[in-house]
Amino acid sequence: DAGNLWHAAKEGVLQPVSSEILTSNIPSHLRDPNNKWFGLSLRARTIVYSIKRVQPGDLTTYDDLSKTDWKQRLVIRTSKKVYNQSLVAMLIKEHGEDETAKILKGWVSNLAAPPFSNDTKVMEAIIAGQGDVGIVNTYYYGRLAKKDPNIPLALFWPNQSSGGVHVNVSGAGVVAASKNKAEAFAFLDWLSSEKAQQIFADVNMEYPVNPNVPVNPTVSSWGSFKQNKNNLRNAGENQAAAIRLMDRVGYK
Ligand code: FE
């Protein structure tokens, strides 16, 4: 998660990597402006819904899930894990703290169940009829759909006429104490290459960060979307504010 990579950089664990290969293979919003970490695999944190009880036309944005239409229908993962901390940090970047607090308050008052420990449980709760709509990382949906292709869930891409779907990365950097700098730099370059990106994306059901690499057919069957282009360093910079807001509105 970019929030964790940002922390590693801030604590001085990572050293800058100056590489034209990395900067040309990886879009700028998915890497550290100071070149200490680089996103290598992209996931969207998006809306998942019950195809039995929700029409895609009922959905629009993340903030819309705070409206009373969704009362006792929303299920989400705990605020204690970095994924939702990063999502909220990026919402703060997009909407500011006051507006984000309102969104979170709405989410909390719409909850159909206390927050779950992971994204898979969120989807299982929707399948079981406990809730109708949730927010998850795309690859967890992929894992569940692989086990059961008839899963009664679908993904929705919110914020398509505004800021775009929130994305995050798995990524890497080179530790400051590295004894094998040249090899580490070469390895990072290779991980961003078309060949490695293809392998990576086929295995983990995520999206390649390198725009020249096609999305795996299973993943592309979920549809394409406009992604939020705010730099992921905001996931780290706004993390403390995100945790404070979630705490303040009683999002456990
Ligand atoms: Fe995960």
Side-chain angles (χ1 to χ4, degrees), residues 125-174:
I126 299 173
I127 294 168
Q130 207 174 354
D132 295 341
V133 66
I135 297 172
V136 295
N137 281 358
T138 42
Y139 59 93
Y140 289 115
Y141 170 82
R143 286 181 200 171
L144 218 57
K146 201 175 183 181
K147 271 197 249 166
D148 176 9
N150 298 317
I151 194 176
L153 299 175
L155 294 176
F156 178 83
W157 308 116
N159 295 41
Q160 292 305 280
S161 29
S162 50
V165 174
H166 282 281
V167 296
N168 209 319
V169 290
S170 291
V174 177

Side-chain angles (χ1 to χ4, degrees), residues 27-30 90 163-165 167 226-232:
S28 63
H29 66 296
L30 305 177
M90 296 305 284
V165 174
V167 296
K226 177 176 99 173
Q227 58 176 277
N228 188 283
K229 293 283 176 71
N230 285 323
N231 190 286
L232 283 175

Side-chain angles (χ1 to χ4, degrees), residues 24-228:
S24 82
N25 283 346
I26 304 172
S28 63
H29 66 296
L30 305 177
R31 52 184 163 81
D32 177 25
N34 299 316
N35 296 319
K36 290 190 173 175
W37 52 264
F38 299 84
L40 295 168
S41 179
L42 178 133
R43 70 286 296 274
R45 192 151 185 79
T46 196
I47 295 178
V48 64
Y49 65 93
S50 160
I51 57 172
K52 294 182 176 166
R53 297 181 298 280
V54 177
Q55 299 296 319
D58 301 340
L59 295 159
T60 51
T61 60
Y62 297 97
D63 28 320
D64 181 72
L65 296 178
S66 66
K67 304 239 170 82
T68 49
D69 305 2
W70 300 103
K71 191 130 204 123
Q72 292 197 313
R73 300 177 74 191
L74 177 66
V75 281
I76 43 175
R77 186 183 188 151
T78 172
S79 65
K80 305 292 182 278
K81 295 283 160 65
V82 71
Y83 294 155
N84 280 338
Q85 294 171 0
S86 288
L87 170 66
V88 172
M90 296 305 284
L91 286 174
I92 291 173
K93 169 66 186 168
E94 201 176 340
H95 300 282
E97 283 199 31
D98 291 348
E99 192 56 36
T100 303
K102 278 185 209 154
I103 296 169
L104 295 179
K105 227 180 220 167
W107 286 1
V108 169
S109 66
N110 286 343
L111 289 184
F116 292 90
S117 59
N118 64 54
D119 286 7
T120 304
K121 286 183 179 157
V122 165
M123 288 183 287
E124 286 168 350
I126 299 173
I127 294 168
Q130 207 174 354
D132 295 341
V133 66
I135 297 172
V136 295
N137 281 358
T138 42
Y139 59 93
Y140 289 115
Y141 170 82
R143 286 181 200 171
L144 218 57
K146 201 175 183 181
K147 271 197 249 166
D148 176 9
N150 298 317
I151 194 176
L153 299 175
L155 294 176
F156 178 83
W157 308 116
N159 295 41
Q160 292 305 280
S161 29
S162 50
V165 174
H166 282 281
V167 296
N168 209 319
V169 290
S170 291
V174 177
V175 294
S178 172
K179 293 184 183 119
N180 304 289
K181 270 169 71 163
E183 292 83 355
F185 293 164
F187 183 55
L188 271 192
D189 282 347
W190 181 77
L191 284 171
S192 75
S193 72
E194 292 184 22
K195 188 178 177 200
Q197 285 282 298
Q198 188 74 70
I199 297 167
F200 210 155
D202 283 344
V203 168
N204 68 5
M205 289 199 277
E206 294 194 2
Y207 297 84
V209 291
N210 185 328
N212 299 322
V213 178
V215 176
N216 173 283
T218 303
V219 176
S220 70
S221 74
W222 309 335
S224 57
F225 58 90
K226 177 176 99 173
Q227 58 176 277
N228 188 283

